[in-house]
Amino acid sequence: MSFLMGPALLFCPADRPERYQKAAERSDAVIVDLEDAVAPADKQRARGAILAQLGSTGDVPELDPSRTIIRVNPAGTEEFEKDLHCLKHTPYRHVMLAKAESVAQLKELDGYSVIALCETAAGILNAAAIAAEPNVVGLMWGAEDLLASLGGTSSRTDDDGGYRAVALHARSTVLLAAKAFGKEAIDSVYVNIPDLDGLAVEAGDAAASGFGSKACIHPNQVAAVRGAYAPSEADVAAATELLHAAAGAGTGVFQYKGKMIDGPILKHAESTLRRAGG
């Protein structure tokens, strides 16, 4: 299993079906949210909304299943069981498991391609074991739920808005776990919606660090994320030139413009071209 969506994934409340298509049109993939975005009293109505937008035969959905992720409630809850019952009657097979914490929870989602959302202390500590599960295609981390599970008050500092050390540790842990098992890594949401400059900086860091996607909570954030992931023309030209030089050198290590070039640097260049669609 592989995860080929991104780089901008957009959350959409499941109880707002009038937003489904707009969210899909404005992003690379839409995450229809049955968890935090929906009030407890509205969850059954949200599941009904997902079913209602299917065709009469249940196989012609409004949303493209290949670009749609359904975030379900945490495993072990009554709402989780109801979510799975709903999904059995849909063509959607990409699922994001909220508050993923154990391998046993992932086994309950056999038959689905799962993005494990690690957003508790247990989830972060078990990230590697979770990533190793065959039906897991990606890992995402969540800052605010994590700090709440720790008894903290906020994931970011007041002085510069950067993440606290524990949040950065969790971010790195999820990235390393995902990549160690060949899975995709998705960066957490940026909750300060008007601060597009701050989002662009954080998304740029996510791309440079190896995250394949970043989750968005507002359509206006999509362009900033896409822009951060798209290499500049100069970056693409430099990467192309470097790879041509490597092909001509015919050796594992060579000198190029006064610098020593080896395998890892060439992989950086290849990554640049992949993000550019080349």
Side-chain angles (χ1 to χ4, degrees):
M1 292 183 178
S2 60
F3 181 80
L4 301 176
M5 305 178 197
L9 313 182
L10 180 59
F11 278 100
C12 178
D15 61 345
R16 299 298 300 272
E18 73 279 7
R19 296 184 183 178
Y20 287 1
Q21 195 57 44
K22 292 180 180 178
E25 291 170 355
R26 298 179 186 182
S27 63
D28 298 304
V30 59
I31 305 170
V32 179
D33 190 6
L34 284 166
E35 197 221 5
D36 282 347
V38 180
D42 296 328
K43 290 187 185 289
Q44 190 59 36
R45 181 167 62 86
R47 286 185 283 265
I50 291 175
L51 293 172
Q53 54 86 49
L54 298 176
S56 58
T57 60
D59 60 356
V60 187
E62 176 183 346
L63 295 172
D64 179 356
S66 70
R67 296 179 53 245
T68 302
I69 303 161
I70 309 295
R71 177 160 79 164
V72 297
N73 287 277
T77 66
E78 182 179 350
E79 298 298 346
F80 172 78
E81 297 300 330
K82 292 179 179 179
D83 292 345
L84 290 192
H85 180 74
C86 169
L87 289 180
K88 288 178 181 178
H89 300 282
T90 78
Y92 302 125
R93 290 299 176 266
H94 298 287
V95 172
M96 178 178 287
L97 177 61
K99 298 175 179 62
E101 294 187 331
S102 70
V103 168
Q105 294 173 344
L106 276 302
K107 294 187 182 300
E108 294 186 56
L109 289 166
D110 184 47
Y112 293 93
S113 297
V114 184
I115 298 169
L117 179 48
C118 301
E119 50 186 344
T120 66
I124 299 300
L125 290 179
N126 292 329
I130 290 170
E133 281 299 291
N135 63 332
V136 171
V137 296
L139 267 65
M140 179 175 161
W141 76 289
E144 300 310 322
D145 278 292
L146 171 62
L147 266 292
S149 78
L150 299 175
T153 57
S154 69
S155 65
R156 297 180 185 267
T157 62
D158 294 329
D159 50 0
D160 63 357
Y163 281 122
R164 298 185 187 280
V166 67
L168 288 175
H169 174 76
R171 185 181 192 236
S172 298
T173 297
V174 166
L175 174 61
L176 290 168
K179 296 299 181 173
F181 290 93
K183 309 300 174 69
E184 193 53 272
I186 301 166
D187 200 25
S188 187
V189 299
Y190 192 82
V191 297
N192 189 349
I193 295 173
D195 183 18
L196 296 180
D197 290 338
L199 169 61
V201 170
E202 187 167 288
D205 177 77
S209 297
F211 285 95
S213 307
K214 187 167 181 64
C216 304
I217 55 174
H218 193 280
N220 289 347
Q221 295 182 321
V222 170
V225 170
R226 284 175 171 168
Y229 270 82
S232 67
E233 292 183 5
D235 290 337
V236 172
T240 302
E241 184 179 343
L242 175 59
L243 292 173
H244 281 320
T251 60
V253 178
F254 66 100
Q255 188 173 345
Y256 176 74
K257 294 186 177 180
K259 297 181 179 179
M260 185 198 77
I261 305 298
D262 59 6
I265 294 177
L266 295 179
K267 288 185 180 296
H268 293 330
E270 292 168 354
S271 178
T272 296
L273 294 187
R274 280 197 302 272
R275 288 197 283 118

